[in-house]
Amino acid sequence: MTLTSERPDFRVANTLDDVLKVMSVRAIVFVEEQNCPYEIEVDGQDHAAIHLLGDVAGEPIAAGRIRFFHPYAKLERLAVRKSFRGRGYGNQLLQFAMATARDRGFDRLKLHAQTYASEFYRKHGFQPQGEPFVEADIEHVLMVYGPPIEVN
C-alpha cells in the first residue's frame, strides 16, 4: 500500500477502533516482523497505558503506548509499519509521544530501545543508561530523557 501524499495524523487512541488499529500495528511489527511471542507483546499492561496511533487516510501506520510512573513516563511499543519507514514517521511518532507525556506533567522519560535503534533515540535527547540487556530475545538498552533514573 502506498499512501505517500498525505501526512499522518497522530493522536491518543480514544475509541475502540483506534485501539484495534494500535494493536494491529503492534502485531504486524512485533509479532510478525520481529517474531516476538504474542504473550510477551500482549503483556497485560495495556489497560494501564495510553495508546498512540498514527494513521494516513484511515490506514494505521504507527503506534505506541505510554505508562506513567512517578517521577517518569515510560514510552513503549513504539512502532512504524515496515512499508511506511524512511519517511520521518518514526521521528513524528516519538515527538508526539514525548509531547503527550509532557502534556501530562512528565518531563522525565525512559524507554527500552532495541540497541540498533539507540542512535535514533539519542538524536532526540535520550541517553543510554546501564548495560544492554535481552528482552523478547532482542538486545535492548535503557535510554533516559532528563535526569538519570534509578534502576531497580
Side-chain angles (χ1 to χ4, degrees), residues 1 22 26 31 46-47 49 56 66 68-69 77 80 85 88 93-94 111 117-118 138 148:
M1 171 174 275
V22 165
R26 287 173 43 185
V31 177
D46 288 313
H47 69 283
V56 174
I66 306 173
F68 300 96
F69 304 89
R77 307 301 201 265
V80 175
R85 294 182 194 147
L93 173 62
L94 181 57
L111 54 81
S118 62
I138 299 171

Side-chain angles (χ1 to χ4, degrees), residues 22 26 50-53 62-66 76-79 93:
V22 165
R26 287 173 43 185
I50 64 167
H51 299 275
L52 311 176
L53 173 65
R65 78 178 184 193
I66 306 173
E76 301 175 312
R77 307 301 201 265
L78 300 172
L93 173 62

Side-chain angles (χ1 to χ4, degrees), residues 1 3 6-14 17-30 33 41 50-66 76-97 120-121:
M1 171 174 275
L3 298 169
E6 298 196 38
R7 290 188 43 82
D9 171 41
F10 288 95
R11 63 186 176 275
V12 172
N14 287 317
D17 186 55
D18 280 353
V19 172
L20 291 173
K21 287 178 177 181
V22 165
M23 298 309 284
S24 70
V25 170
R26 287 173 43 185
I28 291 166
V29 173
F30 297 118
E33 183 183 326
E41 169 52 30
I50 64 167
H51 299 275
L52 311 176
L53 173 65
D55 69 14
V56 174
E59 180 71 20
I61 60 139
R65 78 178 184 193
I66 306 173
E76 301 175 312
R77 307 301 201 265
L78 300 172
V80 175
R81 288 173 46 198
K82 191 174 192 172
S83 59
F84 294 94
R85 294 182 194 147
R87 302 180 197 181
Y89 297 161
N91 288 312
Q92 292 174 47
L93 173 62
L94 181 57
Q95 289 168 358
F96 179 74
F120 167 80
Y121 293 107

Side-chain angles (χ1 to χ4, degrees), residues 135-148:
E135 188 171 72
D137 293 327
I138 299 171
E139 189 172 79
H140 288 72
V141 63
L142 171 64
M143 299 198 74
V144 175
Y145 182 91

